[in-house]
Amino acid sequence: METLRCDREISVGAEHRVYLSEDGRTVVKVPTEFGKAWHKMGADLAERDQILLDVSDIPHIPTEIIEGPVIIELKDGTRREVDYVMRQPYIPSAVTLEFNMLKDDPDLLDEFREIVEKAETLFNETGFGVDFVGGHAIKELLLAPFRWEVRGAVYNVLLPQADQYDEGGNKFAEKGRPILCDTRLYDCSGFFGNLLSRVRRDIQRLQNEILYSFLKELEEGSSRPPRKIQLETLIHRIAAWGIRQFVWLRLKRRPK
């Protein structure tokens, strides 16, 4: 059984715990209990997601899938056994993409929109969705009515502050160019009666509307043709309208 020695836990998301390796060069992601309940987890499914991202030409951090059982051993002596892990290069200088950055950089805006469009095509054709915003952004959206300042970040997209190379010397990310760090996909391809699959599909469609609403406001005056709404029900459309009002307030009336 392989043992991966890690320095410490650096973050906990809804679906994965993230550990910094002992040498500080990689991060190790392991599924949480909620993640395993929320959708199917496994080394083979993580590999499938990598292939779909590659085929769709969506830039993402190269991810090594290690099939378990694997022991995670922390410097403080804590040990835990997991079914599989995902290991990625650690980019300590990377910053999280924020919508204000897009507003100030038209090239970055175009590049991110292209990534979002590729992800939507992947979702429409296969039922597998890219999670750009992450669970933290959903929490911020829910709290938005109660506070003015909302970060407006795309938490699963990073901007490296320098070119990044793998151990073989191959460049996998360019300075200042967006790259996806969460390489697991939402599986929304289940049959209609599968409740969780249906919920994941609804969340994915709402996420797309959030992203496109921000992009529409940031591209004011653009000659792009209007995008047809992708939501299926009246409730979804009402929710999307509310999101658009939220977006307008945050981008148009932000205090100077």
Side-chain angles (χ1 to χ4, degrees):
M1 185 182 300
E2 184 170 1
T3 298
L4 298 179
R5 292 179 172 80
C6 297
D7 180 68
R8 66 188 186 279
E9 182 179 273
I10 57 175
S11 69
V12 181
E15 298 174 27
H16 293 94
R17 292 181 178 272
V18 184
Y19 300 94
L20 181 64
S21 65
E22 191 174 49
D23 62 9
R25 297 169 61 185
T26 60
V27 292
V28 175
K29 298 183 177 183
V30 304
T32 63
E33 291 305 313
F34 174 82
K36 289 187 282 188
W38 174 235
H39 62 135
K40 294 179 181 179
M41 293 282 193
D44 57 333
L45 301 178
E47 291 278 7
R48 173 209 62 196
D49 293 348
Q50 296 288 303
I51 293 171
L52 288 171
L53 289 171
D54 287 338
V55 170
S56 300
D57 194 29
I58 296 172
H60 58 281
I61 295 179
T63 305
E64 177 188 6
I65 313 299
I66 303 175
E67 190 167 3
V70 177
I71 296 294
I72 302 295
E73 183 177 307
L74 301 184
K75 193 163 58 175
D76 64 6
T78 303
R79 291 166 58 92
R80 61 177 303 191
E81 181 179 324
V82 295
D83 297 330
Y84 79 98
V85 304
M86 301 188 299
R87 183 159 58 187
Q88 297 175 331
Y90 181 44
I91 312 178
S93 66
V95 297
T96 301
L97 177 65
E98 298 189 16
F99 287 107
N100 283 340
M101 299 174 184
L102 299 174
K103 189 174 184 179
D104 299 331
D105 189 336
D107 291 337
L108 181 60
L109 176 59
D110 286 343
E111 191 168 357
F112 180 61
R113 184 184 179 98
E114 182 179 348
I115 293 172
V116 172
E117 288 173 345
K118 288 177 179 178
E120 187 174 39
T121 297
L122 170 64
F123 174 66
N124 290 336
E125 292 180 351
T126 68
F128 290 95
V130 175
D131 180 14
F132 286 109
V133 299
H136 189 72
I138 300 298
K139 294 177 186 176
E140 285 196 341
L141 187 64
L142 293 174
L143 292 173
F146 307 104
R147 62 189 187 193
W148 181 265
E149 287 295 332
V150 175
R151 187 177 177 192
V154 188
Y155 286 97
N156 288 334
V157 177
L158 301 179
L159 295 180
Q161 299 304 290
D163 290 347
Q164 300 295 314
Y165 298 86
D166 61 23
E167 293 185 353
N170 302 304
K171 183 162 63 175
F172 66 84
E174 293 187 20
K175 176 182 177 180
R177 308 271 52 92
I179 188 167
L180 182 70
C181 62
D182 184 354
T183 58
R184 286 307 317 266
L185 302 179
Y186 274 1
D187 183 356
C188 311
S189 62
F191 62 91
F192 185 82
N194 185 323
L195 178 60
L196 280 181
S197 180
R198 179 71 191 187
V199 170
R200 289 191 295 267
R201 187 181 303 118
D202 290 345
I203 290 174
Q204 188 67 40
R205 291 190 184 281
L206 281 172
Q207 176 194 242
N208 289 345
E209 291 306 315
I210 292 171
L211 291 173
Y212 277 110
S213 293
F214 271 102
L215 292 172
K216 179 181 177 182
E217 293 296 334
L218 292 168
E219 294 171 337
E220 185 177 18
S222 169
S223 60
R224 287 180 181 273
R227 171 181 170 273
K228 182 179 178 181
I229 193 168
Q230 298 292 312
L231 301 180
E232 298 174 336
T233 69
L234 178 60
I235 295 299
H236 291 158
R237 290 170 182 266
I238 292 172
W241 178 87
I243 289 167
R244 290 193 182 95
Q245 305 316 303
F246 159 76
V247 169
W248 184 85
L249 285 171
R250 299 306 165 190
L251 292 180
K252 297 294 185 182
R253 298 175 57 187
R254 181 180 294 275
K256 302 296 183 184

